[in-house]
């Protein structure tokens, strides 16, 4: 919890690596994942760095692996994933990997080329086979039908004979020239039209569809083709016909004129087709064997190549010593993990066989370190919610541990239904219990992946919703009478009234039994006509109480930040006035809410004052109509005066103090701000982030050890002070804080509004679909209607109340945390700690691959 509550203490370090040990040391650090390297060559072009050739070789290997992966997936072969995570290969293994990948690529490409050529020959023979069959059928029809007509290609689809009115005689058919071929079916209409126009109706076309789809050798797509025979007379028409066929990508094949030659050719074609089928089958089996063998190792190869590439890319960030024997790196790392990092460096040095050990030195710096919060699979989703608003400043209070409780609780206040919460809890529990099985399927789905990632927060939201549903006594819009009602039914209320919701009004003076319901809301309010009035008043006051309490807690957390960073004057000039302002106005409002609950009952409820009117009168210095306690007017005047006085104190206090410090009237002027300094050696404790306006000369020198060069990374020795700019900045912060307290308090009323909307919508679904439809029909048809309407009600409940209403409540809860709560103490101006980690690199690549 310590690391989650406040980010890990970080230090900047310098690493000296021997050239022969650099690769192995970086590989060990990549497996550890606790070091964030800095680029020491920002002005050097990527193509001019030392290890650019190795990176290019890794890119080429990755390209070859992607080619193999594409071929494996196209062959519908499953890629084996054993979960193995091999270590980064040694540099000398790169040659072996390159040789293996090149051999596989060449072999697959050769197989693909041969297979494509064989498939093309097979396609041509298949088309020739169909041409011979269709031509044989055509000429047989001519022999047996003297009045046979050939289809013309004119626009009107008219039928013309080859020899006018007399038709085509058997002995005259072969006196005409003809060509035969195949064409894609969708091109036939345009093909016919072009033949008609170019040849002016002097050719005759016969078409026949090929029943089976043919495979394109290049793409593998199926093609629908038709056989055609074109008759013409003369060489001129022959030339035109061939050019038209070429333009429409029709394939022409030789077709003998005599029947015997056609049969003989058909026998030869069938024989060659059978031989090609055998060769294609053997080729495909060989290709499958090669790809299956590659599929068993493909994932391991990908991991090795990506680790190789990541290591060389990281080495390009280092500086090369002038002796060319040492690489120098700078990095950020957690102070608590320095020992593990040292062990990893020693292990890398031993693996490389180097005799000189690597050196890790901590550096003094004024740069702001990155923010690193350790998380696990439970706390990760809550940290991501906070980080989505902004990364915490270094060692700033992290809202994530508080969000673990407040987020599902505020969600449940708006989603208070025990039945809906139970469904949500069971769904999240299923995701949690089967998280390992779903990690490779559901987690990588773009639509439902967020549900898997947020399984723990959904589980907590469901549990809190069950709790709030019990308090509201609301389960699928119905109340449950477990302990018996605490109200007594008077003579004015009969059983008929109880069976009809909203038919009577509950009056505590007449019907209350004297002992409250043991937990939550009494179930009799479900059938009362004044149910909404009572529950709305209760929920509205609870919403205001919860909202102000959370905002006060946020202001208190700002004090924790000031205290930790030793910003003592911010405690006096910012925190205390802010706390007084919110407590004297809005804290007093909560006090009046509880006083009203305790001081008024059914006997004097008519005398209870309106809290809004009381608050307005408080600012108008008007005496209250009904006093809640003795001396109320004096106390309210005192609270308003002190709260109003805090506004100029907030407005002018801090700028004035900064001006006095800058002019030297409160001690020696300091020319820099926000000096961040880690104590070198000895203790691992943060020395503090010292502001120029908080410590005197002696305190400052005792707390901060000055680095030799205070101008590092853009920090200058001289920093200008502009009083006007400070005043503008502080004015904005003061106005924003004071006015936002009013708007933020009103914003928490969404807890009441969404709770009301959810309950009413659930009640409407129950009444319109079940109560007013299915439950009004008796007998056999009533049972059928209940089954049908219950299915409709269940679907609408899941899609509208659980999914849509749940998402709405989630977004509103998100806003309450980001704006109303975190704005009181959380800056969110830091940057995330992004260590060099093989696990992170491989996860990102896998996500990109699946996308």
């Amino acid at each position: 919890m310590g690391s989650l509550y406040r980010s890990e203490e970080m230090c900047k370090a310098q690493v000296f690596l021997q050239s022969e040990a650099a690769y192995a040391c970086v590989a060990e650090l990549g497996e550890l994942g606790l070091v964030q390297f800095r680029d020491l060559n920002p002005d050097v072009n990527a193509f001019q760095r030392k290890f650019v050739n190795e990176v290019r070789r890794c890119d080429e290997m990755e390209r070859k692996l992607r080619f193999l992966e594409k071929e494996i997936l196209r062959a519908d072969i499953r890629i084996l994933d054993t979960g193995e995570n091999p270590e980064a290969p040694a540099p000398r293994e790169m040659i072996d990997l390159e040789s293996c990948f090149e051999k596989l690529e060449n072999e697959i490409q050769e197989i693909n080329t041969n297979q494509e050529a064989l498939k093309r020959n097979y396609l041509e023979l298949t088309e020739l086979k169909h041409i011979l069959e269709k031509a044989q059928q055509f000429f047989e029809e001519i022999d047996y039908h003297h009045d046979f007509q050939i289809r013309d290609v004119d626009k009107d689809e008219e039928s013309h004979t080859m020899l006018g009115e007399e038709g085509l005689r058997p002995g005259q058919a072969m006196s005409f020239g003809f060509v035969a071929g195949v064409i894609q079916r969708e091109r036939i209409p345009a093909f016919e039209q072009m033949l008609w126009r170019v040849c002016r109706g002097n050719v005759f076309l016969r078409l026949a569809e090929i029943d089976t789809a043919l495979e394109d050798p290049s793409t593998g797509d199926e093609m629908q083709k038709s056989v055609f025979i074109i008759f013409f007379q003369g060489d001129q028409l022959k030339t035109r016909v061939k050019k038209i066929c070429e333009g429409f990508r029709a394939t022409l094949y030789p077709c003998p004129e005599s029947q015997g030659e056609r049969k003989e050719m058909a026998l030869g074609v069938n024989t060659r087709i059978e031989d090609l089928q055998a060769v294609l089958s053997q080729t495909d089996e060989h290709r499958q064997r090669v790809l299956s063998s590659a599929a068993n190792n493909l994932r391991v190869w990908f991991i090795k190549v990506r680790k190789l590439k990541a290591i060389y890319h990281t080495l390009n960030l280092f500086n090369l010593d002038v002796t060319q024997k040492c690489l120098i790196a700078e990095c950020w790392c957690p102070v608590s993990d320095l020992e593990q990092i040292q062990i990893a460096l020693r292990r890398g040095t031993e693996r490389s066989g180097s005799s000189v050990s690597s050196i890790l030195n901590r550096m003094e710096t004024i740069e702001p370190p990155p923010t690193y919060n350790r998380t696990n699979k439970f706390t990760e989703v809550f940290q991501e919610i906070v980080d989505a608003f902004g990364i915490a400043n270094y060692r700033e209070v992290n809202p994530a541990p508080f969000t673990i409780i407040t987020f599902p609780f505020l969600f449940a206040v708006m989603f208070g239904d025990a039945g809906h919460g139970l469904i949500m809890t069971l769904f999240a529990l299923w995701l949690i219990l089967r998280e390992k099985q779903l990690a490779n399927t559901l987690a990588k789905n773009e639509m439902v992946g967020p549900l898997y990632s947020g399984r723990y927060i959904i589980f907590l939201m469901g549990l809190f919703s069950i709790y709030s549903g019990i308090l509201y006594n609301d389960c699928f819009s119905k109340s449950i009478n477990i302990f018996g009602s605490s109200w007594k039914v008077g003579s004015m209320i009969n059983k008929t009234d109880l069976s009809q919701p909203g038919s009577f009004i509950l009056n505590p003076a007449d019907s209350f039994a004297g002992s409250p319901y043991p937990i939550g809301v009494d179930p009799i309010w479900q059938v009362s006509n004044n149910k909404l009035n009572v529950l709305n008043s209760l929920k509205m006051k609870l919403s205001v109480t919860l909202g102000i309490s959370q905002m006060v807690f946020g202001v208190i957390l700002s004090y924790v930040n000031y205290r930790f960073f030793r910003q003592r004057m911010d405690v006096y000039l910012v925190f205390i006035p802010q706390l007084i302002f919110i407590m004297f106005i809005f804290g007093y409002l909560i006090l009046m809410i509880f006083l009203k609950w305790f001081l008024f009952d059914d006997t004097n409820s008519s005398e209870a004052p309106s809290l809004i009117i009381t608050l307005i009168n408080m600012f108008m210095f008007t005496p209250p109509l009904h006093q809640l306690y003795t001396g109320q007017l004096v106390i309210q005047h005192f609270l308003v005066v002190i709260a109003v006085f805090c506004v100029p104190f907030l407005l002018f206090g801090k700028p004035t103090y900064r001006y006095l410090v800058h002019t030297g009237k409160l001690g020696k002027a300091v020319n820099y701000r926000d000096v961040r300094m880690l104590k070198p050696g000895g203790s691992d404790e943060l020395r503090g982030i010292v502001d120029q306006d908080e410590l005197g000369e002696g305190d400052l020198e005792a707390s901060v050890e000055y680095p030799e060069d205070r101008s590092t990374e853009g920090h200058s020795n001289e920093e200008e002070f502009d009083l006007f700019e400070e005043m503008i900045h502080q004015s904005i912060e003061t106005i924003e804080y004071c006015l936002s307290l009013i708007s933020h308090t009103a914003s928490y009323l969404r807890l009441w509004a969404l709770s009301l909307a959810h309950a009413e919508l659930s009640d409407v679904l129950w009444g319109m679909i079940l109560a007013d439809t299915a439950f009004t029909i008796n007998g056999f048809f009533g049972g059928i209607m209940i089954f049908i309407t219950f299915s409709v009600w269940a679907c609408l409940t899941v899609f509208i109340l659980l999914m849509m209403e749940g998402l709405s409540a989630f977004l509103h809860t998100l806003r309450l945390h980001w704006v109303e709560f975190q704005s009181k103490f959380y800056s969110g101006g830091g940057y995330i700690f992004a260590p060099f980690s093989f696990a992170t690199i491989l996860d990102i690549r896998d996500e990109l691959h699946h996308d």
Side-chain angles (χ1 to χ4, degrees):
M1 179 63 74
S3 174
L4 188 64
Y5 169 70
R6 199 181 296 280
S7 62
E8 287 280 345
E9 184 179 345
M10 307 294 291
C11 69
K12 189 176 181 181
Q14 196 172 41
V15 186
F16 295 88
L17 304 171
Q18 295 298 313
S19 297
E20 62 272 13
Y23 179 92
C25 290
V26 172
E28 291 293 334
L29 293 177
E31 297 289 351
L32 190 62
L34 291 173
V35 175
Q36 177 179 336
F37 291 104
R38 300 177 66 251
D39 189 0
L40 300 183
N41 308 296
D43 300 327
V44 180
N45 190 286
F47 300 101
Q48 296 176 347
R49 304 202 178 193
K50 179 176 176 57
F51 299 98
V52 63
N53 291 330
E54 285 78 3
V55 174
R56 286 177 176 175
R57 291 166 63 186
C58 292
D59 286 335
E60 181 63 18
M61 286 191 291
E62 204 168 12
R63 183 197 63 78
K64 293 176 181 178
L65 288 177
R66 286 196 298 268
F67 167 75
L68 291 175
E69 182 183 32
K70 179 181 177 182
E71 294 296 322
I72 290 171
L73 295 177
R74 193 173 70 172
D76 199 20
I77 299 175
R78 179 176 175 271
I79 298 176
L80 182 63
D81 185 3
T82 60
E84 181 184 358
N85 185 17
E87 295 182 351
R92 60 180 177 272
E93 294 184 32
M94 184 184 292
I95 299 176
D96 298 334
L97 291 174
E98 286 178 320
S99 176
C100 178
F101 299 159
E102 185 175 4
K103 179 181 177 182
L104 280 173
E105 183 186 31
N106 293 337
E107 186 174 2
I108 294 299
Q109 286 179 343
E110 184 179 357
I111 293 174
N112 289 345
T113 303
N114 295 337
Q115 193 176 40
E116 182 177 347
L118 291 173
K119 286 184 177 181
R120 195 171 298 280
N121 292 338
Y122 180 79
L123 176 64
E124 292 174 354
L125 290 174
T126 304
E127 291 176 347
L128 179 57
K129 171 187 173 183
H130 286 288
I131 287 175
L132 294 174
E133 291 177 354
K134 301 300 181 182
Q136 184 66 26
Q137 294 176 5
F138 171 69
F139 287 113
E140 286 178 356
E141 290 177 1
I142 293 178
D143 292 337
Y144 290 100
H145 301 85
H146 295 285
D147 297 330
F148 180 76
Q149 292 183 332
I150 301 177
R151 184 183 179 188
D152 197 356
V153 291
D154 60 329
K155 295 180 181 178
D156 301 326
E157 298 287 328
E158 294 177 354
S159 179
H160 295 271
T161 62
M162 296 185 61
L163 296 177
E165 299 294 335
E166 299 180 0
L168 179 64
R169 296 181 178 84
Q172 295 176 336
M174 301 310 297
S175 63
F176 290 88
F178 69 93
V179 293
V182 293
I183 188 173
Q184 291 190 13
R185 200 170 295 172
E186 62 268 15
R187 297 175 182 169
I188 290 177
F191 181 62
E192 291 180 336
Q193 189 176 22
M194 184 61 69
L195 280 174
W196 167 260
R197 290 181 176 179
V198 174
C199 300
R200 303 190 180 188
N202 293 319
V203 295
F204 300 91
L205 176 66
R206 174 74 183 213
L207 291 168
E209 294 183 355
I210 299 177
D211 298 332
T212 58
L214 303 177
E215 181 183 355
D216 189 341
S218 301
T219 62
D221 299 332
E222 291 186 349
M223 301 180 297
Q224 300 292 337
K225 290 190 173 185
S226 297
V227 173
F228 66 86
I229 301 177
I230 303 174
F231 293 88
F232 51 84
Q233 201 171 26
D235 294 337
Q236 187 176 7
L237 285 178
K238 180 179 181 181
T239 303
R240 292 181 181 179
V241 168
K242 287 186 175 180
K243 287 184 177 181
I244 293 173
C245 293
E246 182 181 354
F248 280 87
R249 297 181 182 177
T251 308
L252 299 178
Y253 291 94
C255 181
E257 296 183 0
S258 65
Q259 180 178 1
E261 291 178 352
R262 287 196 298 271
K263 290 184 177 180
E264 184 179 355
M265 179 179 286
L267 291 175
V269 168
N270 289 332
T271 303
R272 293 175 61 188
I273 287 176
E274 293 176 358
D275 295 340
L276 271 177
Q277 286 178 337
V279 175
L280 278 171
S281 177
Q282 294 176 0
T283 304
D284 188 63
E285 290 177 1
H286 176 61
R287 184 174 182 273
Q288 291 290 109
R289 286 195 299 268
V290 174
L291 292 177
S292 298
S293 177
N296 294 333
N297 302 307
L298 186 66
R299 185 181 179 277
V300 175
W301 288 339
F302 263 121
I303 294 175
K304 288 184 176 181
V305 171
R306 287 168 181 170
K307 286 185 176 182
L308 270 170
K309 183 179 178 180
I311 292 172
Y312 283 118
H313 177 74
T314 303
L315 289 174
N316 277 331
L317 305 178
F318 300 170
N319 264 341
L320 187 63
D321 189 68
V322 291
T323 61
Q324 302 287 320
K325 295 182 179 180
C326 179
L327 291 174
I328 304 174
E330 290 184 5
C331 61
W332 292 105
C333 52
V335 174
S336 59
D337 295 320
L338 284 175
E339 185 177 354
Q340 294 187 49
I341 297 172
Q342 292 278 16
I343 294 173
L345 290 174
R346 287 197 295 269
R347 190 163 54 243
T349 303
E350 293 172 359
R351 286 183 56 187
S352 65
S354 176
S355 58
V356 181
S357 60
S358 302
I359 302 174
L360 176 68
N361 288 332
R362 293 182 61 176
M363 302 174 60
E364 298 178 356
T365 181
I366 59 175
E367 296 178 64
T371 300
Y372 176 40
N373 294 300
R374 296 183 192 270
T375 58
N376 52 39
K377 62 183 181 180
F378 174 74
T379 60
E380 181 180 8
V381 62
F382 298 96
Q383 188 63 56
E384 289 179 352
I385 288 175
V386 173
D387 291 344
F389 175 78
I391 306 300
N393 289 348
Y394 177 62
R395 307 233 71 190
E396 184 180 28
V397 170
N398 183 19
F402 314 111
T403 304
I404 293 175
I405 298 300
T406 59
F407 195 97
F409 177 74
L410 292 183
F411 172 88
V413 173
M414 295 181 280
F415 198 78
D417 190 296
H420 299 155
L422 179 62
I423 296 175
M424 185 179 295
T425 302
L426 294 177
F427 172 70
L429 186 62
W430 175 73
L431 293 176
I432 293 172
L433 296 178
R434 296 183 57 84
E435 60 182 12
K436 293 183 178 179
Q437 295 88 331
L438 300 174
N440 294 325
T441 55
L442 189 65
K444 297 178 180 178
N445 186 281
E446 185 177 358
M447 294 295 296
V448 296
L451 294 178
Y452 176 83
S453 301
R455 57 194 180 279
Y456 289 103
I457 193 173
I458 296 175
F459 180 72
L460 289 180
M461 290 191 301
L463 288 179
F464 277 87
S465 296
I466 295 175
Y467 171 73
S468 62
I470 293 174
L471 294 183
Y472 295 158
N473 202 347
D474 194 351
C475 180
F476 297 115
S477 77
K478 296 299 174 184
S479 296
I480 301 176
N481 189 1
I482 300 176
F483 303 102
S485 175
S486 296
W487 295 74
K488 57 183 179 181
V489 178
S491 58
M492 299 300 294
I493 302 176
N494 52 38
K495 292 183 179 181
T496 305
D497 295 329
L498 293 176
S499 63
Q500 298 176 357
S503 60
F504 63 92
I505 296 177
L506 285 179
N507 186 353
D510 298 334
S511 307
F512 188 57
S515 59
Y517 196 69
I519 180 172
V521 177
D522 196 295
I524 200 172
W525 288 106
Q526 180 72 27
V527 293
S528 172
N529 193 34
N530 57 337
K531 167 188 173 183
L532 286 180
N533 294 334
V534 174
L535 293 184
N536 282 348
S537 176
L538 174 66
K539 290 181 179 180
M540 182 174 63
K541 292 180 174 62
L542 287 177
S543 300
V544 173
T545 303
L546 292 174
I548 295 175
S549 301
Q550 188 177 31
M551 289 191 293
V552 171
F553 179 60
V555 175
I556 294 174
L557 288 179
S558 68
Y559 166 77
V560 178
N561 277 332
Y562 297 145
R563 181 83 177 184
F564 179 80
F565 294 135
R566 302 183 184 180
Q567 298 173 340
R568 289 181 295 187
M569 294 312 302
D570 280 341
V571 174
Y572 303 131
L573 301 177
V574 178
F575 165 70
I576 293 179
Q578 286 183 348
L579 185 63
I580 291 175
F581 187 86
I582 189 173
M583 290 301 298
F584 280 22
I585 297 178
F586 298 97
Y588 180 69
L589 176 62
I590 296 179
L591 177 62
M592 288 194 295
I593 290 175
F594 281 94
L595 282 176
K596 187 175 179 180
W597 281 341
F598 282 108
L599 297 179
F600 296 92
D601 55 17
D602 57 311
T603 60
N604 60 349
S605 59
S606 60
E607 301 176 0
S610 170
L611 297 181
I612 299 298
I613 299 300
T614 302
L615 197 64
I616 294 174
N617 291 337
M618 174 179 171
F619 281 93
M620 299 293 294
F621 292 95
T622 303
L625 298 177
H626 301 280
Q627 286 196 359
L628 294 174
Y629 56 91
T630 304
Q632 179 179 352
L633 181 61
V634 176
I635 292 178
Q636 288 183 170
H637 289 176
F638 172 77
L639 295 178
V640 171
V641 170
I642 298 300
V644 172
F645 178 74
C646 288
V647 176
F649 198 74
L650 280 170
L651 190 61
F652 299 107
K654 192 171 182 179
T656 303
Y657 182 80
R658 287 187 181 276
Y659 175 74
L660 295 176
V661 170
H662 178 73
T663 56
K665 295 180 180 181
L666 291 180
K668 182 180 177 181
V670 183
N671 293 324
Y672 66 96
R673 302 168 65 185
D674 288 342
V675 180
R676 291 166 172 84
M677 193 62 196
L678 297 178
K679 181 179 179 182
S683 174
D684 292 336
E685 182 183 357
L686 178 70
R687 294 292 292 178
I689 300 179
V690 183
D691 199 297
Q692 68 172 10
D693 57 356
E694 299 167 8
L695 301 177
E697 178 181 356
D699 293 337
L700 184 62
E701 292 178 353
S703 299
V704 179
E705 300 179 13
Y706 293 88
E708 296 180 0
D709 182 11
R710 287 198 294 268
S711 63
T712 305
E713 299 293 334
H715 290 74
S716 61
N717 291 330
E718 297 293 333
E719 182 172 339
E720 297 181 0
F721 177 84
D722 189 341
L723 180 61
F724 180 74
E725 182 180 349
E726 289 288 337
M727 287 295 301
I728 293 297
H729 176 74
Q730 191 63 26
S731 300
I732 294 174
E733 288 191 350
T734 302
I735 295 173
E736 180 183 4
Y737 175 78
C738 296
L739 294 183
S740 67
L741 286 180
I742 302 174
S743 62
H744 289 177
T745 302
S747 181
Y748 276 98
L749 293 178
R750 70 185 69 233
L751 298 175
W752 155 59
L754 265 74
S755 174
L756 173 64
H758 183 84
E760 289 302 305
L761 185 57
S762 178
D763 189 48
V764 167
L765 283 181
W766 180 278
M768 293 183 63
I769 297 177
L770 291 178
D772 296 342
T773 304
F775 295 162
T776 58
I777 303 176
N778 298 323
F780 177 76
F781 292 103
I784 297 178
M785 284 299 299
I786 289 178
F787 177 80
I788 296 174
T789 54
F790 178 81
S791 302
V792 175
W793 173 82
C795 292
L796 293 177
T797 298
V798 171
F799 287 105
I800 296 179
L801 295 178
L802 287 177
M803 297 180 65
M804 296 178 62
E805 281 284 317
L807 179 60
S808 174
F810 182 90
L811 294 177
H812 283 285
T813 309
L814 201 63
R815 183 244 155 78
L816 290 177
H817 279 78
W818 281 355
V819 179
E820 279 72 20
F821 174 54
Q822 292 178 193
S823 63
K824 303 299 183 294
F825 67 97
Y826 187 67
S827 300
Y831 65 100
I832 195 70
F833 176 62
F836 170 62
S837 171
F838 288 145
T840 303
I841 293 172
L842 294 175
D843 286 342
I844 293 175
R845 291 295 184 91
D846 287 340
E847 290 178 5
L848 293 175
H849 171 73
H850 286 284
D851 290 343

